[in-house]
Amino acid sequence: MNWKKWVGLAIFIALIFGVYRVSLLINALTLPNSEEEIAAVREIVDRQNEGAFYRPTRKSLEAKAANPLKNVYFGDLHVHTNISSDAYLFGNRLDMDTAYRIAKGESQKTRTGERMELTRPLDFAALTDHAEGFGRRIACDGPDLSEAGTKQCEERSTPSLIGFLKLRSKAEQRPMIRDLAIFNEDSVVERDFAAQTWQQVQDAADRHYEPGAFTTFAAYEYSPALPDRGKHHRNIVFRSMDVPKYAVSGFDAVSEIELWKDLEATCTNDCEFLTIPHNMNKTWGLAFSGETIDGVAYTEDDWKLRERNEPIVEMFQIKGNSECSVAFGAGDEECGYEQFFPPCDQGQETSCIYPTSMARDGLQIGLALEDQIGVNPLEFGMIGSTDTHNSNPGDVEEWDFRGATTFSSSPAERRMSGDNVTGIRINNPGGLAAVWAPENTREALFDAMKRKEVYATSGTRIKLRAFAGFDMPVDIAETGDLTAAYKQGVPMGGRLYASESKAEGVSLFVWAVKDPDNAPLAKLQVVKGWIEEGERQEVVYDVACGGSEFDPATGKCEANGATVDMNDCSWDNTAGASELKTLWTDPDYRSNEDAFYYVRVVQNPTCRWTTYDSLRLGREPLDDSPATVTEMAWGSPIWVKAK
Amino acid sequence: MKTNTTNRIVGGMNSLLRRPLLHFWLIGFLIFVVERGYFAPEVVLEVAYPNADQIAALASQWQQARGRVASAAGLARMIQQAIDQSILLSEALRLGFHYQDSIVQQRLIRDMRFMQDDSAASDVELLEQAYAMNLHVNDLVVRRRLVQMMESYLRASGENQPLTDKVLRVLYLEQIETFTQPERLSFSHAFVSQDRYRGKSLERAQQLVKHFEEDELSPDAGVSMGDPFISGYRFSKVTQRQIEREFGAGFGERVFDSRVGQWGGPIRSVYGWHAVWLSERLPAEPMSYESVKSKLVYEYRSQTGNLSFENAMAALRAQYQITGAPE
């Protein structure tokens, strides 16, 4: 063959490959819409083998008796239903009532026919649909739309990824543009319809509130967008049904500062609220930079607004882990767990992690700020949630992950497509918010969130207690005396003052117990952060090992040898610990330094959702995703103030 | 004397009958009676059947909302809803809701100011002009508001009687089977950690149970000999399912098989072994009236509201003629 033929062959192969890539892209961007197309997808789902792996028996909703020493309640504070414009565009038609019923343990199907069901119902849930979309569905469903309004309603009703990207791109404009086509260009109409949706949100929450067994909240999401699918979003949760008449959206408040000001102005009398930022990993460094989305620097008053109103952050969710980055600080490998982005390269502005992006960064910046302004505005607790757009709160078990965006990420065939064109395989099923409260009521859970006695999990229901004190009983790890722990220490989310004690060392009593329906525990870690000569410092200690020895040479727990049976995803119950409990004293404590401590629990490996999908489809797990995960729980920090 | 008085009355009557003002009132009354009684057209209540374009729009909305083409029955329901909304609007106008609601009035004033942005007219004048121009019938937002007000009005029409305890208690008794508390029990446990005792945890648990039985240890004394357990040592009035959520599958059933007033086990949980003392067993029983009262109130209000609305709507449908309906 002469060189011309070689060139011709090369061009032909490149052409074939190009056509293949384009077809994959078209396939990924095209969502089913007609009856026939949806029926075809359901046929594919019918062929999935849902019995190909082990899953625990399902349980029903049960109340817990009140407990003055507090119970842990698991819930999801970040859920989208068909009210959210993006969820609707993905094809989700499941409403708020359905979402609450799923949270309470009812089994439902996505429109693709994949079943969604929690092994255990949640204890609480907040539906947080985008406030910017409030009123739009009501307007679209009504008569007498203008031509432009009708066109927009049609566009936003037809499941389409291109439609979603168009919506997203519109939302990135600054300041956000309030598109009134659907409302016949009348802002008063928009306001009226938006208030109606907000009322529906409250009514649905009231319908499903069962004090003692299942708690709901009036809540919504404030959603200014950033370029390249970045976001600077916050969920707003109210303590009671005494709420402002209007939900403050990104159209009303140009920045989080305006949001807090508006909420403080309208949430009066018995009304109480808190805001919860999420996806700090996708804020392109804005999360803790001290600047608004428009580059305006926070004033001292702005920081104080934040301190008053933002006691917790959503650190883990479907779109990744925002605890820390392996590239900064201690560089602990656990920071890589379900991580979305690499650190930013020189000149890179988006799709990467800045040193002001992650929760651990924020905690350190908060210590430095306190030295400057007298309060620590970033003294926050940490929770997990999902951010699902499928109306399925707390559906976080790896074996039940159906994507989070209806037609865009379902069925398994789509999630496991050859080259992951939509990037779905970077997602995870999301996490849970764990709250220590004396009873399961709105008031008790909200108050616990305000005092930060909460923790995040990656979906597992590990029970985690953490207390810090200067005079903790030396035998507390043997007695497990929680009364003494509360009396002689402070729980997670609390503050400890060195000036109030003569003792010279700080100790943490940490107690973690495995999820009864998940794998045993591998290790318990304490993360400490402080500021030294103006520099951010952090260190990670392994403080208890599950089924393995502590290696003094490395300062780490040795591997415990836990395995996973990749044939059916059953996990190893013989390695690891069912509980880890210790009284740990900081060997490097200095009473003249402010510091924070938080606890991280690492579970033995279990199958990642991608492996469950492989079993469903009878295929080998793909190389582009880890086959297993080590689920985690992260306690809210305890701050120790210097003498 | 009597004759004089009679004469005065007769004279007065004659004088009154000759008064033009009386003639005017009598003639007016006569005209009114004749017109109302014989010539006034009968009040006809009617609304229009949706036209082809409106039906097509309804079908399109259905498809967008449900993701499938509307069935004939589904479309018929939507058409009926559209007709009902027209009836509600008509009734709201008949009752003069548009004169009473401040939101409607503000909206009409806004519309007028938009149309006459240089007008110096007062709000009252603008409102009068809006009514004269029938804006309250043509404005979409006002129409929706009036329909909504009418729905609320009909929904509340059945709430003439205050909701009494007596009514709620009747409802409670009617639904008592759905308000049943499952069998519950209270127990204490002494925990033997499998992490602490490794392969010897069962042996340790068996020793504890034997010791508790032989020495007839109280629940508190027994519990104190176990290991710390994060969820506590005493569980009061819990169901089998509640127990299984804390201890793992299978544990609750074994606890329910134990006997009251004595040590049992050891029973295996996902955390280790447990010696268990049952202190009470409560049979399945109806939940108390007080504990379900708020649920009953919510259900009652929701049901009576729906019923009132349906009854009133049915009555209105009977009064209205639908014009342009297909044969």
Side-chain angles (χ1 to χ4, degrees):
Chain A
M1 215 159 56
N2 63 28
W3 68 271
K4 286 182 182 170
K5 285 186 178 169
W6 280 112
V7 169
L9 183 64
I11 290 171
F12 178 72
I13 291 170
L15 202 65
I16 295 290
F17 184 68
V19 168
Y20 168 70
R21 292 286 303 175
V22 169
S23 71
L24 278 178
L25 193 63
I26 290 171
N27 190 40
L29 289 175
T30 311
L31 302 183
N33 188 29
S34 68
E35 283 282 281
E36 294 74 24
E37 287 166 344
I38 294 172
V41 173
R42 287 182 179 156
E43 274 177 31
I44 294 171
V45 168
D46 288 342
R47 291 198 291 274
Q48 290 178 190
N49 182 2
E50 294 295 330
F53 43 83
Y54 164 76
R55 59 187 299 168
T57 320
R58 296 180 66 223
K59 285 110 188 153
S60 58
L61 182 68
E62 295 294 334
K64 274 184 193 168
N67 175 4
L69 287 174
K70 295 166 191 162
N71 294 316
V72 64
Y73 297 103
F74 290 100
D76 189 349
L77 294 171
H78 193 171
V79 179
H80 295 271
T81 70
N82 65 343
I83 289 178
S84 290
S85 301
D86 49 357
Y88 205 83
L89 261 175
F90 295 135
N92 182 11
R93 299 292 182 266
L94 301 179
D95 61 12
M96 289 186 286
D97 288 309
T98 309
Y100 279 129
R101 289 202 300 269
I102 292 175
K104 289 176 176 182
E106 192 174 299
S107 175
Q108 286 281 343
K109 282 183 176 177
T110 66
R111 278 180 78 201
T112 58
E114 287 200 293
R115 187 161 291 289
M116 305 182 287
E117 56 188 18
L118 281 63
T119 299
R120 290 156 291 183
L122 295 179
D123 298 309
F124 62 92
L127 305 185
T128 51
D129 284 296
H130 297 293
E132 293 74 15
F134 279 9
R136 286 173 188 271
R137 282 257 58 83
I138 301 177
C140 283
D141 289 342
D144 302 322
L145 272 173
S146 68
E147 199 174 316
T150 307
K151 184 166 177 275
Q152 200 178 92
C153 287
E154 277 170 12
E155 278 178 8
R156 292 193 179 180
S157 301
T158 309
S160 163
L161 271 185
I162 293 168
F164 165 70
L165 293 173
K166 273 168 70 181
L167 181 72
R168 194 74 187 44
S169 138
K170 210 172 207 175
E172 285 170 17
Q173 292 171 323
R174 299 295 305 160
M176 288 179 80
I177 296 169
R178 199 191 289 261
D179 189 339
L180 296 173
I182 289 172
F183 307 103
N184 295 344
E185 301 301 334
D186 190 331
S187 60
V188 177
V189 177
E190 188 251 11
R191 199 105 175 116
D192 186 35
F193 284 160
Q196 284 183 41
T197 304
W198 178 219
Q199 187 61 52
Q200 288 172 350
V201 171
Q202 296 160 49
D203 292 345
D206 251 359
R207 276 198 295 281
H208 293 275
Y209 182 30
E210 295 179 37
F214 183 75
T215 291
T216 59
F217 293 95
Y220 68 87
E221 182 170 355
Y222 162 85
S223 339
L226 294 172
D228 295 329
R229 299 191 65 182
K231 53 188 65 196
H232 202 26
H233 295 184
R234 285 171 160 80
N235 287 318
I236 293 95
V237 178
F238 293 89
R239 187 173 189 262
S240 67
M241 286 296 132
D242 195 340
V243 300
K245 186 173 179 189
Y246 300 104
V248 182
S249 74
F251 301 130
D252 308 309
V254 292
S255 71
E256 64 274 24
I257 292 161
E258 296 305 313
L259 171 73
W260 295 318
K261 284 180 180 171
D262 281 6
L263 283 168
E264 283 195 352
T266 54
C267 182
T268 52
N269 298 327
D270 290 335
C271 175
E272 285 184 55
F273 72 93
L274 53 84
T275 65
I276 310 172
H278 64 86
N279 279 111
M280 288 74 78
N281 60 337
K282 298 187 84 180
T283 61
W284 315 149
L286 273 180
F288 305 110
S289 67
E291 283 187 3
T292 70
I293 191 169
D294 297 312
V296 179
Y298 273 49
T299 65
E300 195 176 314
D301 284 345
D302 297 337
W303 279 121
K304 287 178 180 170
L305 262 176
R306 186 161 176 166
E307 189 268 334
R308 279 202 298 278
N309 297 314
E310 201 154 88
I312 51 179
V313 302
E314 182 187 303
M315 193 216 82
F316 190 90
Q317 61 131 271
I318 280 170
K319 289 187 279 286
N321 181 350
S322 293
E323 182 203 356
C324 48
S325 167
V326 286
F328 306 123
D332 37 324
E333 61 180 315
E334 288 79 8
C335 292
Y337 177 68
E338 292 294 358
Q339 189 55 262
F340 241 55
F341 296 111
C344 296
D345 283 335
Q346 190 75 26
Q348 190 181 359
E349 291 185 352
T350 63
S351 307
C352 59
I353 302 295
Y354 283 73
T356 53
S357 290
M358 306 302 243
R360 198 185 288 173
D361 304 327
L363 292 170
Q364 290 170 324
I365 292 167
L367 292 180
L369 275 167
E370 186 166 8
D371 291 340
Q372 295 163 26
I373 64 174
V375 294
N376 181 349
L378 299 175
E379 210 171 89
F380 52 77
M382 301 191 285
I383 60 156
S385 278
T386 62
D387 198 4
T388 177
H389 284 57
N390 275 356
S391 308
N392 55 336
D395 194 2
V396 291
E397 291 156 319
E398 300 283 335
W399 55 81
D400 209 48
F401 185 54
R402 312 299 189 161
T405 49
T406 312
F407 288 136
S408 169
S409 52
S410 176
E413 191 74 56
R414 189 177 181 90
R415 293 190 291 272
M416 301 300 280
S417 73
D419 61 356
N420 198 19
V421 178
T422 58
I424 170 74
R425 285 202 286 282
I426 202 170
N427 287 124
N428 70 82
L432 291 175
V435 176
W436 286 105
E439 59 181 1
N440 189 359
T441 61
R442 275 188 192 134
E443 296 76 16
L445 296 181
F446 185 93
D447 294 348
M449 289 188 256
K450 282 288 261 193
R451 68 170 182 271
K452 305 154 199 157
E453 200 171 351
V454 298
Y455 62 96
T457 88
S458 58
T460 179
R461 296 197 189 188
I462 290 170
K463 289 194 180 84
L464 174 61
R465 292 271 203 185
F467 298 85
F470 292 107
D471 308 293
M472 297 293 270
V474 289
D475 61 350
I476 195 161
E478 283 77 51
T479 63
D481 185 349
L482 294 171
T483 309
Y486 273 109
K487 195 174 170 190
Q488 289 172 245
V490 296
M492 56 174 75
R495 244 182 184 222
L496 201 58
Y497 294 89
S499 55
E500 291 174 4
S501 171
K502 289 177 185 168
E504 284 302 311
V506 67
S507 298
L508 268 73
F509 167 47
V510 188
W511 191 356
V513 174
K514 81 176 220 88
D515 177 347
D517 284 329
N518 222 314
L521 307 179
K523 62 183 167 186
L524 204 56
Q525 298 176 306
V526 170
V527 179
K528 177 187 177 185
W530 72 100
I531 303 291
E532 193 171 308
E533 295 175 357
E535 295 291 319
R536 286 157 51 173
Q537 305 289 334
E538 62 190 59
V539 63
V540 179
Y541 301 94
D542 284 6
V543 299
C545 305
S548 70
E549 296 299 319
F550 179 77
D551 180 352
T554 61
K556 303 284 176 200
C557 292
E558 291 174 349
N560 65 16
T563 56
V564 184
D565 185 342
M566 302 307 281
N567 294 312
D568 66 357
C569 280
S570 57
W571 52 79
D572 181 357
N573 279 316
T574 60
S578 56
E579 65 174 349
L580 292 169
K581 191 157 74 276
T582 188
L583 178 67
W584 174 81
T585 302
D586 180 2
D588 304 311
Y589 173 70
R590 276 176 281 186
S591 61
N592 60 346
E593 275 170 358
D594 291 346
F596 64 81
Y597 298 83
Y598 69 86
V599 177
R600 187 166 61 192
V601 192
V602 182
Q603 194 176 281
N604 276 351
T606 48
C607 280
R608 192 175 190 261
W609 67 266
T610 38
T611 307
Y612 283 102
D613 266 353
S614 303
L615 290 175
R616 272 188 186 98
L617 299 174
R619 297 178 190 163
E620 287 298 310
L622 292 165
D623 292 337
D624 62 4
S625 310
T628 61
V629 284
T630 53
E631 303 266 3
M632 296 192 198
W634 300 263
S636 286
I638 296 169
W639 289 264
V640 180
K641 298 301 298 171
K643 275 188 174 166
Chain B
M1 189 71 184
K2 192 178 175 186
T3 309
N4 283 347
T5 306
T6 308
N7 287 344
R8 270 207 303 275
I9 290 171
V10 170
M13 284 292 283
N14 286 339
S15 161
L16 189 67
L17 286 170
R18 283 197 297 274
R19 291 261 171 105
L21 186 62
L22 181 67
H23 299 162
F24 175 79
W25 280 114
L26 283 172
I27 292 165
F29 180 72
L30 198 63
I31 291 170
F32 174 79
V33 168
V34 169
E35 187 189 83
R36 296 296 293 194
Y38 298 100
F39 302 112
E42 196 176 327
V43 177
V44 177
L45 298 173
E46 59 182 31
V47 291
Y49 191 85
N51 63 31
D53 287 348
Q54 288 166 330
I55 291 173
L58 291 173
S60 167
Q61 281 166 22
W62 172 290
Q63 188 172 0
Q64 282 168 10
R66 313 283 166 91
R68 59 178 192 274
V69 176
S71 63
L75 192 58
R77 275 198 300 277
M78 288 198 81
I79 291 171
Q80 185 57 53
Q81 278 170 9
I83 294 169
D84 285 353
Q85 290 202 347
S86 298
I87 294 174
L88 290 169
L89 176 64
S90 168
E91 283 299 298
L93 293 170
R94 267 163 48 83
L95 292 172
F97 282 1
H98 51 302
Y99 295 123
Q100 302 161 19
D101 185 54
S102 62
I103 293 177
V104 168
Q105 291 174 342
Q106 281 168 16
R107 171 77 186 176
L108 293 175
I109 293 165
R110 252 190 92 260
D111 286 352
M112 292 303 293
R113 289 218 181 279
F114 179 74
M115 288 190 281
Q116 309 173 10
D117 60 349
D118 54 350
S119 168
S122 69
D123 284 355
V124 175
E125 288 164 342
L126 287 175
L127 198 54
E128 282 172 4
Q129 290 174 28
Y131 289 136
M133 291 166 66
N134 258 351
L135 263 192
H136 56 286
V137 180
N138 297 324
D139 185 279
L140 166 70
V141 176
V142 172
R143 288 213 308 269
R144 279 192 178 137
R145 172 76 186 169
L146 292 174
V147 167
Q148 192 184 41
M149 285 175 73
M150 195 63 208
E151 281 174 353
S152 306
Y153 175 74
L154 297 184
R155 207 171 280 284
S157 60
E159 290 181 20
N160 298 327
Q161 301 295 322
L163 180 53
T164 61
D165 225 32
K166 194 176 168 187
V167 173
L168 288 174
R169 281 190 186 277
V170 170
L171 279 177
Y172 169 68
L173 290 175
E174 282 172 4
Q175 301 180 45
I176 200 151
E177 281 181 16
T178 59
F179 296 128
T180 301
Q181 178 80 266
E183 186 182 3
R184 292 165 301 156
L185 47 81
S186 300
F187 74 96
S188 305
H189 71 112
F191 172 51
V192 177
S193 164
Q194 65 195 17
D195 293 327
R196 183 176 174 190
Y197 292 96
R198 300 282 166 191
K200 293 186 175 171
S201 56
L202 174 59
E203 191 183 325
R204 161 79 180 162
Q206 286 167 333
Q207 283 168 0
L208 281 185
V209 173
K210 192 173 173 207
H211 171 50
F212 295 169
E213 286 173 342
E214 286 176 359
D215 292 1
E216 295 181 352
L217 250 57
S218 70
D220 285 352
V223 163
S224 68
M225 294 184 71
D227 293 324
F229 191 73
I230 200 164
S231 299
Y233 312 95
R234 291 166 197 85
F235 291 81
S236 177
K237 298 180 176 60
V238 285
T239 63
Q240 185 175 325
R241 284 171 175 167
Q242 283 173 319
I243 297 170
E244 303 222 327
R245 277 188 76 173
E246 288 293 337
F247 293 84
F251 190 86
E253 195 180 339
R254 291 286 317 276
V255 175
F256 266 74
D257 286 343
S258 304
R259 289 189 179 169
V260 174
Q262 64 183 55
W263 284 102
I267 300 175
R268 184 102 171 89
S269 78
V270 293
Y271 306 111
W273 293 91
H274 307 253
V276 174
W277 173 281
L278 250 66
S279 50
E280 68 175 333
R281 186 185 288 276
L282 301 166
E285 60 180 4
M287 293 161 83
S288 73
Y289 166 72
E290 291 302 330
S291 69
V292 298
K293 189 175 170 183
S294 60
K295 201 170 184 175
L296 288 167
V297 171
Y298 177 79
E299 278 179 14
Y300 177 83
R301 294 240 184 263
S302 169
Q303 283 172 9
T304 52
N306 289 343
L307 191 65
S308 302
F309 179 75
E310 284 308 321
N311 289 341
M313 201 64 232
L316 286 175
R317 282 187 201 120
Q319 289 174 33
Y320 273 78
Q321 287 180 18
I322 313 298
T323 59
E327 292 301 316

